[in-house]
Amino acid sequence: MAVEMRTPIPVKEAIERVIKIVKHKEVSTLPIEQSLNSILAEDVKATYDIPRFDKSPYDGFAINSKDSQGANGNNRIQFKVIDHIGAGTASDVTIKNGEAVRIMTGAPIPNGADAVVMFEQTTENEKGFTIRKSFKQGENIAFKGEECKENDIVLNKGKLINSGVIAVLATFGYQNVKVYQKPTVAIIATGSELVGPNEPLEPGNIRNSNGPMIESLCRGINIEATTYQIQEDNLKGCIDIVEKAMSEHDIVITTGGVSVGDFDYLPKVYEAIGANVLFNKVQMRPGSVTTVAYKDHNILFGLSGNPSACYSGFQLFTKPTIQKMMAAQEVYPVIIDAILAEDFKKANPFTRFIRGKAHFTNEGVYLEPSGSNKSNAIVAIANSNGMIILPSGTRGYAKGDTVKVLLTDHLSYESELNL
Amino acid sequence: MAVEMRTPIPVKEAIERVIKIVKHKEVSTLPIEQSLNSILAEDVKATYDIPRFDKSPYDGFAINSKDSQGANGNNRIQFKVIDHIGAGTASDVTIKNGEAVRIMTGAPIPNGADAVVMFEQTTENEKGFTIRKSFKQGENIAFKGEECKENDIVLNKGKLINSGVIAVLATFGYQNVKVYQKPTVAIIATGSELVGPNEPLEPGNIRNSNGPMIESLCRGINIEATTYQIQEDNLKGCIDIVEKAMSEHDIVITTGGVSVGDFDYLPKVYEAIGANVLFNKVQMRPGSVTTVAYKDHNILFGLSGNPSACYSGFQLFTKPTIQKMMAAQEVYPVIIDAILAEDFKKANPFTRFIRGKAHFTNEGVYLEPSGSNKSNAIVAIANSNGMIILPSGTRGYAKGDTVKVLLTDHLSYESELNL
């Protein structure tokens, strides 16, 4: 039996091939409190001027600036306080010569006033207060519309809805917002050796861990994932379950069965269902046999059964696809420079992705591999917050070398209080 | 009326004062699929050896290494294939002289074999295959227990449950796991000018946006937050609602009312309920009046009503508190060096936190302020993914200066495909 020949392509090209064919999903309308982390499918307009009215940005006194002219340390000018405005109320009075209104931050400027004196700039006395400097017209006033005007587009279609966007929507009284739908994911673990969490562990069996790992990777980015029954190494069963998953979800992730072994049926599944294979070999370790295919709107990820390779495949190919399907502008992983804290002497003809832990220190970002050579690969994933990228080459890497790291786990970045 | 004097403390000291008094919450048991992003409250032990049995890490043929001795390009040695094992099954045969078993990745090594020949290392023929190199005892075999042994502690108490931890738990057949409970948060917006999303906007009113912003900041880190009714500037009402919130939640966040204005009742609320104020002035802009207090197990955050200051206060003080309450080892925000892409000439006696957008490029991390001076502050938050930190000083900062940025919004990092 001949071994199938595959042509390995560079990682970057592989990612770009996938992203190129991905289309975003339909638009739907959500209540704003359910829209966090979706992508805006409409421009958002200001429904009124901000500020809505001329207001005081400080606690102090509203005055007419003309009355302050000539004030200095040797010539303090006296003001009489005729009213008191808190935020949320307006004053009916009109300020006349030498008068002032005590005003709190956010309250509307009363009639006749054109400047605000901060408390710290006054000396209070029984009659009111004195000042020792003159004020300019408009000084310490936040003018109606100076931040934005009614009907201004304040947020553009395509923007990720973060907490600031939620605040903007709330400010302008929007209760619903149009967003791009998020894709849903089907997860199918393949391999006759795999058993589920409740099944007995017979000789030759191992428990399915890639399925739960992928499910939690999806959940971590707020993507709904459905786990299908574990598939034994059986071609007909695999074809049926993949077709069912494609009819129910946008993205179908299989783990295992993607190599060139006798029971690696995924290549035959892609053929049987008429999927277009974008690549089936990538210049990377682990996970060189990672395969991505598509048919109509479905994208199929054939991730390796090796847990490290499965994890890398999700981070490199699946996550950017999810981002693009939900119409995100930023689809690629964040990759930064960091300093290797250990030697990595082994040369490799393919780019290596090594599970690592980034430490953010005052002296820079340091990387340590999170598992040594023979340590448990899954434990190394658990102890990682990034993937150290060691490009292919004829030499290894030394402690102190600057290399790239793809950040994966934003909640477990070690950081000093670097202030 | 005299202005209350407050002593501003450095930001770092303020954060440390808070973290010092925070205690972690109780332990509870969760199904593993609900445990993502919680913290392990127990060490996790391996329930069996990994690998569980001597197995093949490759697709190939299991042989006895003695039979391969003397093989070379001019002396190919022939093997006869007597069985075929896929993963998940075991072979009953025992290999004798010159025999081999075809074996797939992950399948158990058959009796009598002590090495695996990869497909690529063979030439197949009708009788079986030939090899042209000798193999060492144990070559290409993954031995039982070489990654970890039964009862080894594979994950330590205190670890964040990421997708890798889920995979470890699944591997070892755990269906439940002990975790530290997460704190819950009460949100109380104060200010007579504030109205909710459905209420009419009278003159002098603005809509409450800090409440929805904080709620989504909590939701973004998987923390349950409950929004209480907006409080008018009324001392008795504020005391009652804060006490109710304290009885129902660990953390109580108020927005507004924390300054020294006539209707800033929070200082009086802390006094009335007998809370210990950790600080009520911080050497930072905006948000210098941010106040943190505690009473028994409750932590109270008096965030500014200014949206930018409110956002900064949450990132600097509340988020690390949440992390520590859930027993996370990494409680501090990630702060990295980056290059200013614009001048910031204004000197400031306090540290400035400016909403900014970090761009991760091949040439480094570049920062642009996400809102100019008079642009809408809330829109600037929406357009940010970090807080640019400009330490106090007598001079400003120039384009090209390296400054620190506190990363806030991991989903909206702009990144080139930096591979």
Side-chain angles (χ1 to χ4, degrees):
Chain A
M1 200 183 301
V3 173
E4 180 200 352
M5 289 307 293
R6 298 182 177 186
T7 309
I9 64 170
V11 179
K12 185 171 180 174
E13 185 186 333
I15 297 172
E16 286 168 344
R17 277 196 198 177
V18 181
I19 290 305
K20 197 171 165 191
I21 57 104
V22 174
K23 302 210 171 14
H24 64 68
K25 295 211 36 162
E26 308 281 286
V27 169
S28 52
T29 298
L30 288 182
I32 75 164
E33 59 275 17
Q34 290 170 30
S35 70
L36 186 67
N37 296 330
S38 289
I39 304 294
L40 274 179
E42 59 183 342
D43 291 336
V44 173
K45 284 184 180 176
T47 54
Y48 50 79
D49 291 354
I50 299 254
R52 270 191 78 214
F53 39 84
D54 294 352
K55 69 179 180 184
S56 176
Y58 302 112
D59 296 331
F61 298 96
I63 62 167
N64 187 312
S65 59
K66 284 185 198 133
D67 296 344
S68 73
Q69 299 315 307
N72 60 50
N74 298 318
N75 178 33
R76 301 195 68 104
I77 293 181
Q78 173 75 43
F79 285 85
K80 180 185 171 196
V81 178
I82 59 161
D83 200 4
H84 186 175
I85 329 177
T89 52
S91 174
D92 291 336
V93 304
T94 297
I95 285 178
K96 291 188 291 290
N97 272 3
E99 292 178 344
V101 166
R102 189 174 174 99
I103 191 167
M104 296 297 115
T105 305
I109 303 296
N111 291 328
D114 67 358
V116 169
V117 181
M118 294 155 73
F119 280 153
E120 305 85 293
Q121 298 170 318
T122 68
T123 303
E124 294 188 62
N125 56 29
E126 350 179 283
K127 291 182 242 164
F129 62 91
T130 63
I131 58 174
R132 49 183 242 165
K133 81 174 225 25
S134 59
F135 284 75
K136 287 194 283 281
Q137 193 174 13
E139 192 165 344
N140 294 337
I141 289 182
F143 288 103
K144 180 172 192 293
E146 76 177 16
E147 295 191 20
C148 71
K149 301 233 181 299
E150 186 174 338
N151 288 324
D152 279 358
I153 292 175
V154 286
L155 298 172
N156 291 106
K157 180 174 162 172
K159 188 155 171 34
L160 175 80
I161 300 180
N162 59 16
S163 56
V165 171
I166 299 280
V168 171
L169 294 168
T171 293
F172 292 120
Y174 291 102
Q175 292 173 52
N176 294 291
V177 62
K178 282 189 184 158
V179 302
Y180 292 96
Q181 291 171 22
K182 292 182 178 181
T184 66
V185 172
I187 301 167
I188 305 169
T190 77
S192 294
E193 74 277 28
L194 299 181
V195 299
N198 300 312
E199 295 171 68
L201 208 55
E202 304 293 346
N205 288 167
I206 60 170
R207 290 202 192 277
N208 172 29
S209 61
N210 285 329
M213 181 175 74
I214 296 290
E215 199 181 324
S216 61
L217 283 167
C218 290
R219 199 178 306 129
I221 51 172
N222 310 298
I223 293 296
E224 186 195 319
T226 303
T227 297
Y228 286 67
Q229 210 189 331
I230 294 168
Q231 289 305 296
E232 299 209 358
D233 297 327
N234 164 316
L235 180 58
K236 176 69 168 63
C238 281
I239 294 172
D240 290 349
I241 199 88
V242 167
E243 286 192 320
K244 181 172 194 298
M246 287 168 71
S247 72
E248 293 170 349
H249 295 279
D250 304 291
I251 289 173
V252 177
I253 300 175
T254 53
T255 64
V258 80
S259 190
V260 293
D262 301 343
F263 304 104
D264 285 320
Y265 286 133
L266 264 298
K268 296 191 187 75
V269 170
Y270 299 132
E271 200 182 317
I273 63 176
N276 300 287
V277 173
L278 287 168
F279 53 83
N280 58 16
K281 187 118 184 174
V282 188
Q283 290 168 12
M284 67 183 209
R285 291 261 189 270
S288 64
V289 293
T290 304
T291 300
V292 180
Y294 69 99
K295 188 186 178 189
D296 304 327
H297 76 287
N298 288 124
I299 319 274
L300 297 101
F301 294 89
L303 304 185
S304 167
N306 168 316
S308 306
C310 180
Y311 183 85
S312 297
F314 183 90
Q315 298 287 355
L316 292 170
F317 305 111
T318 315
K319 199 170 163 187
T321 298
I322 289 170
Q323 294 286 102
K324 178 134 186 229
M325 273 197 170
M326 60 190 272
Q329 286 168 342
E330 310 305 335
V331 301
Y332 294 124
V334 171
I335 295 171
I336 62 171
D337 284 347
I339 302 151
L340 261 189
E342 271 182 36
D343 287 348
F344 235 94
K345 287 301 184 194
K346 203 172 155 194
N348 203 296
F350 283 175
T351 302
R352 283 165 66 114
F353 290 89
I354 295 155
R355 264 102 296 269
K357 186 145 196 179
H359 302 259
F360 293 82
T361 79
N362 248 314
E363 285 73 43
V365 185
Y366 285 85
L367 286 174
E368 53 168 352
S370 62
S372 58
N373 209 18
K374 288 270 173 175
S375 76
N376 186 276
I378 307 177
V379 173
I381 299 171
N383 288 329
S384 75
N385 61 17
M387 289 159 42
I388 306 173
I389 306 172
L390 300 183
S392 58
T394 48
R395 60 167 202 94
Y397 292 83
K399 179 176 169 174
D401 282 356
T402 294
V403 296
K404 293 186 189 301
V405 61
L406 183 157
L407 300 177
T408 55
D409 216 333
H410 69 284
L411 288 172
S412 62
Y413 298 153
E414 287 202 13
S415 182
E416 297 175 359
L417 184 49
N418 193 359
L419 278 169
Chain B
M1 198 183 301
V3 173
E4 181 201 352
M5 290 306 294
R6 297 182 177 186
T7 310
I9 64 169
V11 180
K12 184 171 181 175
E13 184 186 332
I15 297 173
E16 287 168 344
R17 276 196 199 177
V18 181
I19 290 306
K20 196 171 165 190
I21 56 105
V22 174
K23 301 209 172 14
H24 64 69
K25 295 211 38 164
E26 308 280 286
V27 170
S28 52
T29 299
L30 288 183
I32 74 164
E33 59 274 17
Q34 289 171 30
S35 70
L36 186 68
N37 296 330
S38 289
I39 304 294
L40 273 180
E42 60 183 342
D43 291 336
V44 173
K45 284 184 180 176
T47 54
Y48 51 78
D49 292 353
I50 300 249
R52 269 192 79 214
F53 40 83
D54 295 351
K55 70 179 180 184
S56 177
Y58 301 112
D59 297 331
F61 297 97
I63 62 166
N64 187 312
S65 60
K66 283 187 200 134
D67 296 344
S68 73
Q69 300 314 308
N72 61 49
N74 298 318
N75 177 33
R76 301 195 68 104
I77 292 180
Q78 173 75 44
F79 285 85
K80 181 185 170 195
V81 179
I82 59 162
D83 201 3
H84 187 174
I85 330 178
T89 53
S91 173
D92 292 334
V93 304
T94 297
I95 286 177
K96 291 189 293 289
N97 273 2
E99 291 178 347
V101 165
R102 189 174 173 99
I103 191 167
M104 295 298 114
T105 304
I109 303 297
N111 290 329
D114 66 359
V116 169
V117 181
M118 294 156 73
F119 281 152
E120 304 86 295
Q121 297 170 320
T122 67
T123 303
E124 294 188 62
N125 56 29
E126 344 176 289
K127 290 182 242 164
F129 63 91
T130 63
I131 58 174
R132 49 182 241 165
K133 80 174 223 34
S134 60
F135 283 76
K136 287 195 284 280
Q137 193 174 12
E139 193 165 344
N140 293 338
I141 288 183
F143 288 103
K144 180 173 192 293
E146 76 177 16
E147 294 191 21
C148 71
K149 301 233 181 299
E150 186 174 339
N151 288 324
D152 279 358
I153 292 176
V154 287
L155 297 172
N156 291 106
K157 181 174 161 172
K159 188 156 171 31
L160 176 80
I161 300 180
N162 59 16
S163 56
V165 171
I166 300 280
V168 172
L169 294 168
T171 293
F172 292 119
Y174 291 101
Q175 292 174 51
N176 294 291
V177 62
K178 282 189 184 156
V179 303
Y180 293 97
Q181 291 171 22
K182 292 181 180 182
T184 66
V185 172
I187 301 167
I188 305 168
T190 78
S192 294
E193 74 277 28
L194 299 180
V195 299
N198 301 312
E199 294 170 70
L201 208 54
E202 304 293 346
N205 288 167
I206 60 170
R207 289 201 192 277
N208 172 29
S209 61
N210 285 329
M213 181 175 74
I214 296 290
E215 199 181 323
S216 60
L217 283 167
C218 290
R219 198 179 305 130
I221 51 172
N222 311 297
I223 294 294
E224 187 195 318
T226 303
T227 297
Y228 286 67
Q229 211 189 331
I230 293 168
Q231 289 306 295
E232 299 208 0
D233 296 327
N234 164 315
L235 180 58
K236 176 69 169 63
C238 281
I239 293 171
D240 290 349
I241 199 89
V242 167
E243 286 193 321
K244 181 172 193 297
M246 287 168 70
S247 71
E248 294 170 350
H249 296 279
D250 304 291
I251 289 172
V252 177
I253 300 175
T254 53
T255 65
V258 80
S259 190
V260 293
D262 301 344
F263 304 104
D264 285 320
Y265 287 133
L266 264 298
K268 296 192 187 75
V269 170
Y270 299 132
E271 201 183 318
I273 63 175
N276 300 287
V277 173
L278 288 168
F279 54 83
N280 58 16
K281 187 118 185 175
V282 188
Q283 290 168 13
M284 67 184 210
R285 290 262 190 267
S288 65
V289 292
T290 304
T291 300
V292 180
Y294 69 99
K295 187 186 179 190
D296 305 327
H297 76 287
N298 287 124
I299 319 274
L300 297 102
F301 294 88
L303 304 185
S304 168
N306 168 316
S308 306
C310 181
Y311 183 84
S312 297
F314 183 90
Q315 298 288 353
L316 292 170
F317 305 112
T318 315
K319 199 170 163 187
T321 298
I322 289 171
Q323 295 285 101
K324 177 132 186 231
M325 273 196 169
M326 59 189 273
Q329 286 167 343
E330 310 305 335
V331 301
Y332 294 124
V334 171
I335 296 171
I336 62 171
D337 284 345
I339 302 151
L340 262 188
E342 272 182 35
D343 288 347
F344 234 95
K345 287 301 184 194
K346 203 173 157 194
N348 204 297
F350 284 175
T351 301
R352 283 165 66 114
F353 290 89
I354 295 155
R355 266 106 289 275
K357 185 145 196 180
H359 302 259
F360 293 83
T361 79
N362 248 315
E363 286 73 43
V365 185
Y366 285 86
L367 286 173
E368 54 169 351
S370 62
S372 58
N373 210 18
K374 289 270 173 175
S375 77
N376 186 276
I378 307 177
V379 173
I381 299 171
N383 288 329
S384 74
N385 60 17
M387 288 158 42
I388 305 174
I389 305 172
L390 299 182
S392 59
T394 49
R395 58 167 202 94
Y397 292 83
K399 179 177 169 174
D401 283 356
T402 294
V403 296
K404 293 186 189 300
V405 60
L406 183 157
L407 301 177
T408 55
D409 216 333
H410 68 284
L411 288 171
S412 63
Y413 298 153
E414 286 201 14
S415 182
E416 297 177 358
L417 183 49
N418 193 359
L419 279 169

